[in-house]
Amino acid sequence: MSSAEGYEAAARRGADWLLSRLRPDGGFGETDLACYYKAPAALGLAGHPRQARRLLEVAVERFGTPEGDFVTAEGVKSANPVFQEFWCYPNGWLALAAHRLGWFGVAHQAYRHLLTYRTGDGGFSANDAGVPDAISTAHLGLLALTLGDLDTARAAGDWLTKLLVTQPHLATGFHLRADEHGPRTADDSPLHVLRTGAPDQPYFMIGYPLAYLTRLHQLGGDPAHLTAAIGYADYALSCGEHLRSTPFSHKVGWGAAILARHGHDARHRDLATGIADHLVSLQAEDGSWSPDGPAYATFDDTAEITHWLLEIAAELP
């Protein structure tokens, strides 16, 4: 079995776990948005579009607002406290899934709401604070690219490029938020700065820009975006084995796989497969990931890793 086939097999087990949790109404019977927001994309990619579409319908019915937002309850994104700060993140997943599944009205309504988080310099803020960050800008930049809003997509790519080239000292850390003065170096939250090479860092924060900038270059052809994508990959490679041995590097694996297919650099392929191999090793016997965590974590992680293993398998050259 090739590496790609092994990743697909693990992803099928993850998709089967999600399918086994579906109720007759098409939902999971869970009350938290975090249990739902990634699963339609994962199931659609895994070859279950009917179940993915119905699950998306349940999510829109239960969590959608007239303004195009998605919430567990008024003023509450999820029991997962991270989403109180990264408010926009689940919305982007649901919009991308809606587009992929052909529900364009939902995708565009969600996108119109998300455009209210765009900042004047082309980035996107995770919430109403108005401070753009790496993952929100890459995530919503990809949504813009997917929906054909190329001006917004290019501006997001330019913002991510500037964020990389203005980092003050990559040997010690990568600052994930920036304002008009540059990276916000005073922020010391684990969600605002990566400690280079340290264990259990949220490395996915730099994985999404890596993937997005490569995709943007493939469409727009701007060499600066490809140079920046390679720069993000170089930073990931500089982080050493801790980056390859954490469940938080899934998006780095995805981005490295896209870059490997684009440029045929063996280092990027090795990074993608090293991360994917570790993710497979973490899968529980029942096909899930994070089975001992709260329900929102198990559903979230199982859908996410299922999704990225399929994306990595598809990209491997």
Side-chain angles (χ1 to χ4, degrees), residues 45-265:
L45 192 61
H48 305 283
R50 178 172 58 85
Q51 293 88 342
R53 174 59 185 258
R54 181 58 191 138
L55 183 62
L56 180 63
E57 290 171 353
V58 171
V60 171
E61 291 166 4
R62 292 185 181 177
F63 306 112
T65 74
E67 299 76 27
D69 199 2
F70 297 93
V71 297
T72 294
E74 185 175 358
V76 178
K77 199 69 167 184
S78 167
N80 183 345
V82 170
F83 293 134
Q84 289 303 114
E85 176 173 356
F86 288 89
W87 188 272
C88 295
Y89 181 70
N91 301 33
W93 273 90
L94 288 164
L96 286 165
H99 183 270
R100 178 175 285 174
L101 294 166
W103 201 359
F104 301 133
V106 166
H108 281 270
Q109 182 189 33
Y111 182 57
R112 286 192 294 272
H113 174 75
L114 289 168
L115 281 174
T116 65
Y117 296 92
R118 190 183 181 202
T119 57
D121 53 4
F124 279 88
S125 175
N127 52 50
D128 290 331
V131 180
D133 66 274
I135 193 167
S136 299
T137 301
H139 186 40
L140 302 183
L142 180 63
L143 179 58
L145 190 66
T146 301
L147 297 183
D149 183 354
L150 300 186
D151 289 341
T152 298
R154 292 189 190 100
D158 292 344
W159 188 91
L160 291 164
T161 299
K162 183 178 180 180
L163 180 68
L164 174 69
V165 301
T166 55
Q167 291 293 315
H169 196 46
L170 287 173
T172 58
F174 193 111
H175 298 277
L176 299 164
R177 304 202 305 166
D179 55 28
E180 65 274 16
H181 305 296
R184 293 177 62 119
T185 57
D187 292 351
D188 59 1
S189 162
L191 295 176
H192 298 164
V193 59
L194 295 179
R195 306 297 178 188
T196 302
D200 296 326
Q201 298 293 294
Y203 288 115
F204 54 84
M205 298 278 192
I206 52 125
Y208 216 133
L210 161 56
Y212 173 61
L213 286 162
T214 308
R215 285 282 188 245
L216 183 61
H217 169 75
Q218 289 170 337
L219 179 63
D222 188 334
H225 293 151
L226 179 60
T227 298
I230 294 170
Y232 277 93
D234 287 344
Y235 176 74
L237 288 164
S238 78
C239 291
E241 288 306 308
H242 282 310
L243 181 138
R244 298 171 186 251
S245 59
T246 173
F248 305 135
S249 291
H250 34 65
K251 293 181 181 69
V252 178
W254 168 50
I258 296 172
L259 195 55
R261 188 177 187 88
H262 181 83
H264 308 291
D265 189 324

